[in-house]
Amino acid sequence: MSQSESMQAAVWHGRRDIRLEQVPRPDAPAPEWVQIKVHWCGICGSDLHEYLAGPVFIPVDQPHPLTGIQGQCILGHEFSGEIVALGEGVEGFSVGDSVAADACQHCGKCPSCKRGQYNLCEQLAFTGLMNNGAFAEFVNVPANLLYRLPSDFPTEAGALIEPLAVGMHAVKQAGSLLGQTVVVVGAGTIGLCTIMCAKAAGAADVIALEVSSARKSKALEVGASKVIDPRASDALQELQAYTGQLGADIVFECIGHKDTVQQSIDLLRKGGKAVLVGVFEEPSSFNFFDLVATEKQVVGSLAYNGEFADVIAMISDGRLNVEPLISGRIHISDILAQGFDELVNNKDQNVKIIVTPGAPH
């Protein structure tokens, strides 16, 4: 196939304006970059944010300092595929390799990158938000973001590595979970992934807080030992009764709302830790004396920092089973009606819809 051929892609133009278009196939990859033929790509909550309320992350007022992207952007960052072209200087990978790609494009030069915290890069650019992504037949990405997939790795599972890596990074931010009582607030995709990773990390009890009946069932399916519906009962009283009036050792907030972050801290035992994973859209009037008086800890968790390797290993050996997370498989030609609109209109019935731009693999 010549580099001049066009391809189908889902392009963000503005709020409620994602268009399936024929666009030019990416140019040959730059030095230290590769071109990937996309097999599967998941629709993420951040993609929905851009669809419903964008621009949120997509730069529109000026070009992104790392990528130069401004305005229109091909969405999609939860993906895997096959290398079809190598840029100059790429080592350790070959054409034909099955790979997944970390979405955190970074400069490699700022203090955070030099500390090894590339997810906190001063010029961080997420694939599919600040650079063209994988709701397309082909995508170019930096080779330093690649992870080779084992030959027997389930093809569809490649689209679940990224959200599971978010959950895995959050678990690492919490410290050891061995024998701990854990609460996960919100059983959307990231909440479910965090439940799975917490169980894999040795948590004794994982309790989910969720109101959707479908997601409550899904939380139990992926490893939660109990689900509390905060609309049906007093969540704090129910948790204290369950834990002998102690509270949770660790709470993961996976919604991103000022009320649920307060609730997450309230659910902790004295000296416990809350890990904030959700994306918050408005400020809170939290009283920090609640932390001083109880020595509770609150930490943030952004994306991932190398956890793709852990997730790939755990999917490969069976410690993580992605099948319960996949609620739909669609072709890119149906991405608007059966993808974005389906998730908006039937959010509670869906977890992860994955998209293929080609024939099923």
Side-chain angles (χ1 to χ4, degrees):
M1 178 181 288
S2 70
Q3 294 296 116
S4 62
E5 289 188 8
S6 65
M7 63 178 186
Q8 273 193 316
V11 184
W12 183 91
H13 286 266
R15 189 173 302 178
R16 295 274 185 176
D17 188 8
I18 295 174
R19 306 175 195 173
L20 187 63
E21 299 179 335
Q22 287 293 129
V23 302
R25 176 174 167 173
D27 293 333
E32 307 296 338
W33 284 54
V34 302
Q35 185 168 113
I36 296 172
K37 179 179 176 62
V38 178
H39 288 174
W40 290 97
C41 184
I43 301 177
C44 177
S46 60
D47 298 319
L48 284 179
H49 278 300
E50 296 296 346
Y51 181 48
L52 297 173
V56 179
F57 297 105
I58 295 174
V60 294
D61 295 329
Q62 59 186 11
H64 190 277
L66 186 66
T67 67
I69 281 285
Q70 182 179 4
Q72 297 178 13
C73 182
I74 300 172
L75 297 173
H77 60 273
E78 303 177 348
F79 73 99
S80 62
E82 173 187 343
I83 296 176
V84 293
L86 302 172
E88 181 181 352
V90 174
E91 298 180 352
F93 293 95
S94 303
V95 170
D97 284 349
S98 293
V99 293
D102 182 318
C104 295
Q105 298 185 23
H106 53 280
C107 73
K109 302 174 183 178
C110 71
S112 292
C113 285
K114 289 180 178 179
R115 286 194 301 268
Q117 295 175 296
Y118 66 85
N119 59 319
L120 304 180
C121 174
E122 292 177 6
Q123 299 185 39
L124 185 66
F126 278 98
T127 303
L129 293 170
M130 296 90 153
N131 207 353
N132 284 323
F135 287 139
E137 296 174 70
F138 299 93
V139 62
N140 288 1
V141 296
N144 65 359
L145 300 180
L146 295 183
Y147 291 82
R148 183 181 288 102
L149 301 179
S151 58
D152 58 349
F153 196 84
T155 303
E156 297 177 359
L160 277 301
I161 295 170
E162 198 270 356
L164 280 163
V166 173
M168 188 65 70
H169 184 66
V171 164
K172 288 187 176 182
Q173 292 290 86
S176 175
L177 297 189
L178 287 173
Q180 301 287 286
T181 297
V182 170
V183 171
V184 177
V185 179
T189 299
I190 297 303
L192 293 170
C193 288
T194 303
I195 291 169
M196 294 169 67
C197 291
K199 288 295 291 184
D205 248 336
V206 180
I207 300 106
L209 260 65
E210 178 57 54
V211 299
S212 159
S213 58
R215 292 176 185 271
K216 285 189 281 189
S217 297
K218 190 63 70 172
L220 293 170
E221 183 180 353
V222 301
S225 50
K226 179 179 176 62
V227 177
I228 297 173
D229 183 339
R231 290 183 180 173
S233 65
D234 184 306
L236 179 57
Q237 288 184 5
E238 190 168 344
L239 178 70
Q240 288 182 328
Y242 186 76
T243 60
Q245 305 304 311
L246 293 176
D249 298 304
I250 308 289
V251 176
F252 296 94
E253 200 284 343
C254 297
I255 293 177
H257 191 276
K258 61 183 181 181
D259 294 338
T260 50
V261 74
Q262 176 70 67
Q263 182 181 50
S264 298
I265 294 168
D266 291 343
L267 293 169
L268 287 170
R269 63 164 171 80
K270 291 182 178 181
K273 182 183 289 187
V275 182
L276 308 187
V277 192
V279 176
F280 294 84
E281 297 180 351
E282 56 182 332
S284 167
S285 57
F286 178 72
N287 183 353
F288 287 93
F289 187 69
D290 288 352
L291 303 181
V292 175
T294 59
E295 292 197 353
K296 296 176 181 179
Q297 302 175 59
V298 179
V299 299
S301 183
L302 177 67
Y304 29 78
N305 188 340
E307 283 81 14
F308 269 56
D310 301 312
V311 170
I312 291 168
M314 289 184 173
I315 292 173
S316 296
D317 67 18
R319 281 177 288 173
L320 293 174
N321 175 22
V322 305
E323 193 59 34
L325 299 175
I326 300 174
S327 56
R329 300 165 175 82
I330 63 173
H331 189 265
I332 194 171
S333 58
D334 299 314
I335 193 170
L336 296 178
Q338 296 182 28
F340 282 91
D341 288 339
E342 170 66 18
L343 288 169
V344 170
N345 297 327
N346 298 295
K347 182 177 181 180
D348 289 347
Q349 281 70 50
N350 286 286
V351 179
K352 181 62 61 179
I353 294 176
I354 60 175
V355 182
T356 181
H361 299 277

